[in-house]
Amino acid sequence: MKVRTASMPTLRLTPLAALEQAAECLKTLAHPHRLRIVQMLLQGRYTVGELAEACEIPSHMASEHLRLMQRCGFLTSEKDGRKNFYQIAEQHLASIMGCIESRFGCVP
Amino acid sequence: MKVRTASMPTLRLTPLAALEQAAECLKTLAHPHRLRIVQMLLQGRYTVGELAEACEIPSHMASEHLRLMQRCGFLTSEKDGRKNFYQIAEQHLASIMGCIESRFGCVP
DNA sequence: CAATTATATCGTTACATTTCGATATGTAAC
DNA sequence: GTTACATATCGAAATGTAACGATATAATTG
């Protein structure tokens, strides 16, 4: 067993309960189409159909992805006629997406 | 179909192929025990047994989590006798973990 | 060499997620 | 009212993932 000494700084650990929440959110984010949807919504307001077209998937599947992300607090929606516009609700998504983009490309 | 105008800035989109890679990595990260392991390794070098104890899991399961994270390039390991020390290989983990901590707690 | 310790791997079971077609709901156009 | 459109929901099939006990390897101790 490791014994802590004065020369050893105390280890900062987030409680497991908080890490479970974090893992849930990351799992929700961890899908290529959902990443693209978030990336688009960080740049504007879009309808289900527009997001589906950008991801090259049928709109009923985009709808499902949006429902998942709405359920964990990432997004909100506003109906306008028969269109449904989605937008970012969780502001931390900007910084997390920034990290992802800086690692996986397409940032000058 | 949405028509782009001068007042509308061009939409920056990471290619789907890159988002698939990103999603893979996020999926690997999206587990409470793996998050704790990464959080610890960002603060030092630890053995399988130490990481397992901190996560309160049997060490053969810690070993499995470590294997997954090593396989996607997050970690490397160095044997010393019968102990195996793991450490961070992917430097972007620091900033991503920073985002997660700032949202899910335990940062003053 | 036998026993112990630290880590890794295997095979199975249980559970969750993704995707898809079909269908439903609500709104607008004719 | 009927048709077309946008979105949402349902159920099934396929696939993926997590956890576990058992077992294996490899280094150290006695």
Side-chain angles (χ1 to χ4, degrees):
Chain A
M1 196 192 289
K2 177 171 277 192
V3 176
R4 189 151 301 287
T5 70
S7 68
M8 209 184 293
T10 17
L11 189 57
R12 290 200 62 80
L13 289 183
T14 302
L16 277 175
L19 293 180
E20 274 165 34
Q21 275 188 266
E24 272 304 301
C25 287
L26 286 175
K27 231 190 301 182
T28 301
L29 203 56
H31 187 290
H33 298 150
R34 292 198 286 267
L35 284 172
R36 165 151 292 176
I37 288 171
V38 167
Q39 193 176 41
M40 285 181 69
L41 292 179
L42 283 169
Q43 299 173 66
R45 238 167 76 97
Y46 291 94
T47 65
V48 178
E50 289 167 339
L51 296 165
E53 191 190 349
C55 295
E56 306 168 46
I57 57 176
S59 48
H60 82 275
M61 283 180 54
S63 180
E64 173 69 4
H65 289 308
L66 291 163
R67 191 183 63 82
L68 281 177
M69 290 196 281
Q70 195 166 27
R71 203 162 52 80
C72 82
F74 287 180
L75 310 179
T76 56
S77 64
E78 279 171 23
K79 277 203 121 166
D80 177 17
R82 59 186 157 186
K83 300 193 172 184
N84 201 359
F85 286 85
Y86 281 82
Q87 59 218 291
I88 299 288
E90 169 57 72
Q91 293 310 311
H92 290 82
L93 282 175
S95 50
I96 292 175
M97 201 66 208
C99 293
I100 295 168
E101 283 166 352
S102 88
R103 167 67 182 75
F104 291 98
C106 287
V107 170
Chain B
M1 197 193 288
K2 179 172 277 193
V3 175
R4 192 150 299 287
T5 69
S7 67
M8 209 183 295
T10 15
L11 190 56
R12 290 201 62 80
L13 290 183
T14 302
L16 278 176
L19 293 181
E20 273 164 34
Q21 276 188 265
E24 273 304 302
C25 288
L26 286 175
K27 234 188 299 182
T28 301
L29 203 55
H31 186 289
H33 298 149
R34 292 197 286 268
L35 284 172
R36 165 152 292 177
I37 288 172
V38 167
Q39 194 177 39
M40 287 181 67
L41 292 179
L42 283 169
Q43 299 173 67
R45 238 166 77 96
Y46 291 94
T47 65
V48 178
E50 289 166 340
L51 295 165
E53 191 190 348
C55 295
E56 306 168 46
I57 57 176
S59 50
H60 81 274
M61 280 179 56
S63 179
E64 173 68 5
H65 290 309
L66 291 163
R67 192 184 61 82
L68 281 178
M69 291 195 283
Q70 195 166 26
R71 204 161 53 80
C72 84
F74 286 178
L75 309 179
T76 56
S77 64
E78 278 171 23
K79 275 203 125 168
D80 176 16
R82 59 186 155 189
K83 299 192 173 183
N84 201 358
F85 286 85
Y86 281 81
Q87 58 219 290
I88 298 289
E90 168 58 71
Q91 293 311 311
H92 290 82
L93 282 176
S95 50
I96 291 175
M97 201 66 205
C99 292
I100 294 169
E101 283 166 352
S102 87
R103 166 68 182 77
F104 291 99
C106 287
V107 170

